[in-house]
Amino acid sequence: MSKIQKVYKIQIELDGAVLFASLDDNPTVRDFIARLPLTLELKDYASTEKVVFLPDKLTTQNAPPGSTPVVGDISYYAPWGNLAIYYQDFAYSPGLVRLGRISSGIEQLNFSGEKHATISLIHLN
């Protein structure tokens, strides 16, 4: 009998707009959601991703050595300790741990400058 993978749902509020995402079940994700809710500054990086620096680094236990992000991916970049939400595809990056995907609202990432982002776990009944 195979173990059923749990899926975590989060929301990211940006100045009244809301993005929704589904996160995988792995040690890095569980470490991340244990810290929620978080309010941090989300800013553009390299016209490819929106990044937010976390107060503390997350575990990378059992994480793959890297990943190739695509539009909508939410990832953790272990070398810098930041969360990255991709709105452009990017090349394979060592140390990049995929956490999950944006399920709706990705168009809300079309902004310049910085925005406060409040990331919360959605508790499903």
Side-chain angles (χ1 to χ4, degrees):
M1 194 160 102
S2 66
K3 181 183 174 201
I4 296 175
Q5 289 282 313
K6 183 170 183 164
V7 175
Y8 299 97
K9 303 281 187 185
I10 61 167
Q11 69 178 29
I12 304 167
E13 185 180 346
L14 296 171
D15 295 340
V18 180
L19 292 79
F20 293 95
S22 296
L23 302 182
D24 303 328
D25 186 10
N26 62 51
T28 308
V29 167
R30 288 191 297 272
D31 192 17
F32 174 62
I33 64 167
R35 300 160 191 248
L36 299 179
L38 287 170
T39 299
L40 305 158
E41 288 295 320
L42 190 67
K43 56 185 157 187
D44 198 69
Y45 184 77
S47 299
T48 302
E49 62 195 277
K50 299 297 184 184
V51 298
V52 60
F53 287 88
L54 300 173
D56 301 298
K57 290 198 171 200
L58 301 176
T59 183
T60 54
Q61 174 188 353
N62 299 329
S67 68
T68 305
V70 296
V71 172
D73 275 358
I74 300 173
S75 300
Y76 173 66
Y77 187 55
W80 291 356
N82 69 284
L83 206 61
I85 306 171
Y86 287 86
Y87 63 90
Q88 298 288 336
D89 292 349
F90 195 65
Y92 176 86
S93 300
L96 190 66
V97 180
R98 185 182 180 278
L99 302 181
R101 288 192 56 76
I102 298 292
S103 52
S104 70
I106 194 164
E107 66 279 359
Q108 302 300 327
L109 297 178
N110 186 18
F111 67 87
S112 58
E114 297 182 4
K115 286 191 177 185
H116 287 308
T118 300
I119 307 168
S120 308
L121 182 64
I122 299 171
H123 296 283
L124 304 173
N125 294 335

